[in-house]
Amino acid sequence: MNDDLRTLVSYIIYCYSHNHRPNQFIIYQLSEMNHDEKHQKPKTPTITLRKFTLSDVDAFMSWAADPRVTRFQRRDPYSDPADALAYITTHILPHPWYRAICIDNTPVGSISVKPAPGEDRHRASIGYRLAYDYWGKGIATEALKLTIKAAFEELDHLERLEAIADVDNPASQRVLEKAGFKEEGILRKYVRLKGETRDMVMFSFLLSDAV
Amino acid sequence: MDEQTTVINRSRQPLTVTLREFELTDVDDYFVWASDDRVSPWWRWDTFTNKEDVLTFMEETVLPHPWMRAICLDGRPVGAISVTRRTAEHQCRAELGYVIASQYWGRGITTEAVKLVLGTIFGDMEGLERLEALVLVQNVGSQKVLEKAGFTKEGILKKYLIHKGKISDMVMYSFIPSEN
């Protein structure tokens, strides 16, 4: 029994034992607080973003070796930590903007911002991956919100962030919408993924949309 | 092989639209639209002012392009059309671009040129599944060309490209042979 409910019950007992009529407004307030407490969604854990180090390889494997996570990625799941170490060294560490999504400083996923090639430096695309056990807790949405803010602050000339999500990946589409991205359209037969040509939903977040 | 079709011009006499590869000897015709102030606002380059620059442009950009054709009216180049394929995991798609001299605007010539490309490009480029085109939101003429040629408008990509130094919204069109 939580504090508000305990208070409510104590108040009712007091009223009846002292022959007071319970104040209806007080009853209402206390019952509402109890209702909210019971029906509140579990809070998203506090997440932080930081750069990767080589010692993160085991944490990295927790999502990179999982076929459920790599299902909508171009690469197959990693089986050898040595390959993961090579990837961290050659791709992640030199990357212009690649961060570990951390809970209590332990990586549970990653998020990256890649500026468009050539002269279109005003545009960058976001990609993210999260370990399976951490899905459905609002973590990816929170990581995106932190990344949007950091990317517009740190990357010169940036005006457009974009992300594509497979038409068969509604979870990722919802994450992007909750983070404030706007759907622009479905690009048919846009990219090859594991031997299949996929339709992708294009999303964007413009600097002019940022609060 | 030359691809061809027939269009009707304003005087109701049939004209033939064909596509062929460019040669450096086409420089005089290329200069006509490259030096046209009505054309240059709509494509990447500024108005060319002399034929030597156009010749250099043809040597460096036009002739080496993997897939570019002259749009010919009764055998004479009046514009250019190109298909640029993407790489790696994006090889399934290629981008269409075209330009035509302003005196030939509004006569259905570009639409016919696009249809000729659609008839040949998916056989020429193995594994190509999507032909796309990005058009400035204000370029209504070009949007009509694509719609008449059978492309589907997929959406507007905001602040997508830099055109003449300005970040511009682009309309995305695509043609998918298995669907369109």
Side-chain angles (χ1 to χ4, degrees):
Chain A
M1 193 186 283
N2 68 22
D3 285 348
D4 294 317
L5 190 56
R6 198 173 281 118
T7 309
L8 178 64
V9 171
S10 305
Y11 176 70
I12 293 171
I13 293 170
Y14 172 85
C15 289
Y16 281 98
S17 65
H18 289 78
N19 246 339
H20 292 331
R21 267 186 61 217
N23 179 303
Q24 290 304 311
F25 181 68
I26 294 175
I27 300 277
Y28 172 76
Q29 290 279 71
L30 290 170
S31 64
E32 279 297 291
M33 282 185 238
N34 176 58
H35 177 270
D36 285 349
E37 184 71 33
K38 270 207 291 211
H39 290 83
Q40 222 163 47
K41 287 195 183 107
K43 288 198 172 89
T44 304
T46 304
I47 71 136
T48 51
L49 303 180
R50 65 159 171 81
K51 287 183 181 171
F52 273 92
T53 66
L54 291 176
S55 51
D56 291 323
V57 62
D58 291 333
F60 179 82
M61 288 292 278
S62 72
W63 65 85
D66 188 341
R68 293 169 300 188
V69 177
T70 64
R71 181 181 160 204
F72 290 111
Q73 293 178 351
R74 293 192 308 276
R75 62 183 68 260
D76 290 321
Y78 281 95
S79 46
D80 188 344
D83 293 332
L85 206 58
Y87 183 76
I88 294 174
T89 309
T90 59
H91 182 83
I92 293 182
L93 295 183
H95 193 283
W97 208 98
Y98 206 112
R99 298 287 182 271
I101 302 171
C102 294
I103 296 176
D104 290 335
N105 204 40
T106 302
V108 297
S110 69
I111 188 159
S112 51
V113 179
K114 187 172 141 195
E119 292 142 27
D120 295 323
R121 308 305 283 183
H122 69 289
R123 193 171 102 219
S125 62
I126 289 189
Y128 59 89
R129 319 96 213 147
L130 200 60
Y132 184 77
D133 289 343
Y134 293 90
W135 289 11
K137 301 181 201 299
I139 293 170
T141 305
E142 185 59 27
L144 271 165
K145 287 179 176 173
L146 292 174
T147 299
I148 291 165
K149 187 167 184 294
F152 283 122
E153 277 170 15
E154 296 170 31
L155 297 174
D156 275 344
H157 312 301
L158 186 64
E159 297 230 11
R160 172 189 170 90
L161 279 170
E162 61 186 27
I164 51 172
D166 197 292
V167 290
D168 286 346
N169 192 352
S172 190
Q173 294 165 35
R174 269 197 304 275
V175 162
L176 289 164
E177 279 162 359
K178 284 196 288 181
F181 278 75
K182 297 205 172 76
E183 182 179 331
E184 289 178 325
I186 296 175
L187 308 181
R188 303 170 299 163
K189 302 257 187 276
Y190 197 67
V191 65
R192 295 279 291 172
L193 179 79
K194 296 179 163 120
E196 240 192 285
T197 310
R198 304 297 305 165
D199 295 350
M200 306 296 285
V201 188
M202 172 68 90
F203 290 87
S204 71
F205 193 111
L206 305 178
L207 177 61
S208 45
D209 292 342
V211 184
Chain B
M1 197 183 85
D2 286 353
E3 298 91 351
Q4 69 174 54
T5 191
T6 304
V7 294
I8 305 296
N9 69 359
R10 287 200 192 90
S11 64
R12 311 303 289 176
Q13 281 173 341
L15 295 164
T16 308
V17 176
T18 53
L19 303 182
R20 65 156 171 80
E21 291 191 40
F22 274 105
E23 288 149 26
L24 284 179
T25 47
D26 294 322
V27 60
D28 290 339
D29 290 323
Y30 211 106
F31 184 72
V32 170
W33 60 86
S35 62
D36 188 342
D37 281 331
R38 289 183 63 196
V39 170
S40 50
W42 302 108
W43 75 340
R44 284 172 54 187
W45 293 278
D46 294 328
T47 314
F48 284 78
T49 51
N50 65 73
K51 286 211 178 125
E52 289 68 41
D53 289 344
V54 176
L55 200 61
T56 308
F57 178 75
M58 289 187 75
E59 283 168 337
E60 293 177 357
T61 305
V62 175
L63 262 54
H65 193 288
W67 208 101
M68 187 174 302
R69 299 288 185 270
I71 301 172
C72 296
L73 198 61
D74 278 352
R76 186 156 178 197
V78 296
I81 189 161
S82 64
V83 176
T84 306
R85 194 164 188 181
R86 298 294 163 225
T87 55
E89 66 273 13
H90 294 281
Q91 277 179 72
C92 50
R93 59 190 176 97
E95 187 178 345
L96 177 72
Y98 44 78
V99 61
I100 190 168
S102 58
Q103 73 237 56
Y104 297 104
W105 289 356
R107 289 161 68 173
I109 296 166
T110 313
T111 304
E112 287 311 311
V114 172
K115 285 181 177 174
L116 288 173
V117 168
L118 291 177
T120 190
I121 199 67
F122 296 100
D124 281 4
M125 289 187 179
E126 205 188 302
L128 186 69
E129 297 184 58
R130 169 190 175 89
L131 190 60
E132 61 188 24
L134 286 162
V135 184
L136 289 161
V137 292
Q138 57 268 46
N139 193 347
V140 177
S142 188
Q143 291 163 34
K144 287 208 179 92
V145 164
L146 294 168
E147 282 159 16
K148 284 196 280 182
F151 278 66
T152 301
K153 177 176 169 177
E154 288 177 333
I156 297 176
L157 308 186
K158 298 224 159 146
K159 305 210 169 156
Y160 194 69
L161 287 181
I162 299 179
H163 177 80
K164 306 286 198 213
K166 195 167 171 288
I167 297 174
S168 305
D169 297 348
M170 306 298 287
V171 189
M172 173 68 92
Y173 282 88
S174 70
F175 186 96
I176 312 289
S178 52
E179 290 176 33
N180 280 69

